[in-house]
Amino acid sequence: MSLPGAPHVAYRGADLFIDDVRLSDLAHRYGTPLYVYSRTAMLDALSAYQRALSGRDHLVCYAMKANSNLAVLQTFAAAGCGFDIVSAGELERVLAAGGDPAKVVFSGVGKTRAEMAMALDAGVLCFNVESEAELEVLSTVAVAAGRTAKVSLRVNPDVDAGTHPYISTGLKGNKFGVAHDRALATYRRAAALPGLEVEGIDCHIGSQITDSGPYLDALDRVLDLVEAVEAAGLSIRHIDLGGGLGITYTDERPPAADALIAALLARIDARGHGHRKVLFEPGRSLVGNAGVLLAEVLYLKPGEAKNFCIVDAAMNDLMRPAMYEAYMGIVACTRRDAVPQTMDVVGPVCESGDWLGRDRSLAVRPGDVVAVLSAGAYGMSMASNYNSRGRAAEVMVSGHEAWLVRDRETPAELFRGEHLLPAR
Ligand code: PLP
């Protein structure tokens, strides 16, 4: 029996497996907290995008902020993926994983001069520019480096993605992108500035979107602009529709990636733009359902108002519940024949916001291992060292095989680079 949204995570008898590997075995071998990913699940998710785009001039740029482990990047690079990056650090990871810089788009509202220079030097495909001020600085940096920066303007289509306010990015009040009514003037400015070459247009309206309506609305707004920009004598080579497709955490029913893309391509063709290259920047939908976070039950703490199940993973390992009140499924890795109890699953961190799940029905005892489901995206990549907790180890599974792809962080690693004051 597989679990919501995650066909690669399933019970066989009493035991929970990812691919053909028993999760409790991994917990015992590598310790907990432990992130575990299915490589097959990641490649299956990517192939839905690639299938829908085959026969088109296209590029899928994995938004690596969702999960930037080198083995994840290596997997996607080998499958032909490009990358959407938001920092020089992410660019260094792409290069270390064998990714092709010519398939990298550089997003983000606050790129520094040093980051621009490094990306120009590496030869990225384009800069997704988010403001007029950034355009001016990029021109200066490119001229100083004796290079041409290809630019795509990230436009803010003012479309409501219908998602959590913290992950909605395409509304007028958000910090992202160039306002729709300033876009034409900004393209003219880009064309006039030295060191820049207009390449494309992009938008990204938010994350965990479960309906195709907002995508189609944003696409129409983007195509209106493409037509206006070209009528002004500038040419746009590619259209980048960002990422944002949601996944199933519980009962969400997002469109399948191939169905969404088919609908978008049909609209692009119907409006006479079928000759253009199309880009997508999916993050969550490529990795979210491919991963779980394993934790050991430390204590059960019954109470008058609430029962607590205290586990060894915490908000520093997985921020989504604390940050967005996000629901993550939590199940036992070995099912027990016992009456389940309703309890809050919480971590050891000294914050009341440190919870992973509320009012969950679980039959577990101390020493058991639980799996937090759909934790492959914005899990490890958002982890911190709060409470001086080392970050979790990570394992990649494929079929029967499992590889440790990140060591557990040690306390000494945490304070490496800190200095005591001189003794008096
Ligand atoms: N592209 C940009 C510019 C983003 O900011 C993000 C995420 O916030 C993504 C792509 C990926 O979004 P998602 O993980 O929802 O697909």
Side-chain angles (χ1 to χ4, degrees), residues 95-351:
L95 300 177
D100 180 357
K103 291 184 178 173
V104 166
V105 297
F106 193 171
S107 301
V109 292
K111 303 173 192 79
T112 65
R113 286 168 191 264
E115 287 178 317
M116 290 172 178
M118 184 189 158
L120 276 171
D121 206 36
V124 300
L125 168 62
C126 82
F127 291 82
N128 288 350
V129 172
E130 302 227 11
S131 65
E132 293 165 57
E134 182 189 335
L135 208 53
E136 306 282 337
V137 171
L138 182 58
S139 164
T140 321
V141 174
V143 169
R147 296 185 189 272
T148 302
K150 292 192 183 164
V151 296
S152 164
L153 286 195
R154 175 169 176 183
V155 296
N156 184 332
D158 196 22
V159 163
D160 186 357
T163 186
H164 188 283
Y166 285 9
I167 48 177
S168 179
T169 55
L171 281 166
K172 265 188 187 155
N174 298 130
K175 69 178 175 180
F176 301 100
V178 175
H180 198 267
D181 53 7
R182 286 291 309 155
L184 182 54
T186 312
Y187 269 109
R188 285 205 172 100
R189 184 73 187 132
L193 282 170
L196 303 185
E197 185 182 322
V198 172
E199 170 77 19
I201 188 162
D202 63 283
C203 74
H204 170 77
I205 55 172
S207 200
Q208 186 54 14
I209 302 169
T210 52
D211 177 18
S212 9
Y215 277 104
L216 288 161
D217 292 347
L219 172 61
D220 274 330
R221 305 268 290 158
V222 165
L223 294 179
D224 291 346
L225 271 178
V226 172
E227 287 161 14
V229 170
E230 295 210 324
L234 303 172
S235 76
I236 301 245
R237 281 193 282 270
H238 77 232
I239 302 176
D240 175 349
L241 295 171
L245 179 60
I247 61 170
T248 301
Y249 286 100
T250 165
D251 55 3
E252 304 91 336
R253 295 266 173 277
D258 43 3
L260 172 68
I261 289 178
L264 293 169
L265 293 180
R267 180 72 58 92
I268 289 175
D269 291 348
R271 288 195 50 176
H273 293 271
H275 56 289
R276 287 181 211 283
K277 182 169 185 172
V278 271
L279 271 64
F280 286 91
E281 302 168 0
R284 187 190 311 271
S285 56
L286 294 189
V287 292
N289 284 139
V292 297
L293 171 63
L294 303 183
E296 184 185 321
V297 176
L298 299 176
Y299 306 104
L300 296 180
K301 186 172 172 183
E304 259 176 43
K306 282 257 177 201
N307 298 318
F308 293 101
C309 170
I310 302 168
V311 299
D312 65 357
M315 64 187 286
N316 74 295
D317 300 299
L318 181 61
M319 279 288 287
R320 297 192 69 256
M323 191 154 163
Y324 316 117
E325 303 218 325
Y327 179 95
M328 313 284 298
I330 303 176
V331 295
C333 286
T334 306
R335 286 196 285 207
R336 287 185 178 282
D337 202 6
V339 182
Q341 307 289 318
T342 301
M343 37 199 166
D344 281 9
V345 181
V346 301
V349 161
C350 306
E351 300 279 342

Side-chain angles (χ1 to χ4, degrees), residues 361-411:
S361 175
L362 286 167
V364 288
R365 288 190 204 144
D368 285 1
V369 178
V370 294
V372 184
L373 305 174
S374 303
Y378 304 107
M380 184 63 178
S381 62
M382 291 174 87
S384 78
N385 294 120
Y386 188 41
N387 279 202
S388 286
R389 290 168 53 85
R391 280 175 297 172
E394 293 173 287
V395 166
M396 180 79 87
V397 164
S398 183
H400 288 94
E401 290 183 282
W403 299 274
L404 182 66
V405 293
R406 183 187 176 113
D407 297 334
R408 183 174 305 289
E409 238 168 4
T410 63

Side-chain angles (χ1 to χ4, degrees), residues 347-361:
V349 161
C350 306
E351 300 279 342
S352 295
D354 179 28
W355 56 277
L356 299 175
R358 288 192 167 134
D359 296 323
R360 301 308 171 84
S361 175

Side-chain angles (χ1 to χ4, degrees), residues 29-54:
R29 193 172 343 148
Y30 298 107
T32 50
L34 182 72
Y35 276 100
V36 184
Y37 312 119
S38 157
R39 190 164 177 272
T40 324
M42 292 185 182
L43 290 173
D44 284 356
L46 174 64
S47 70
Y49 279 87
Q50 289 176 329
R51 238 187 350 260
L53 288 161
S54 74

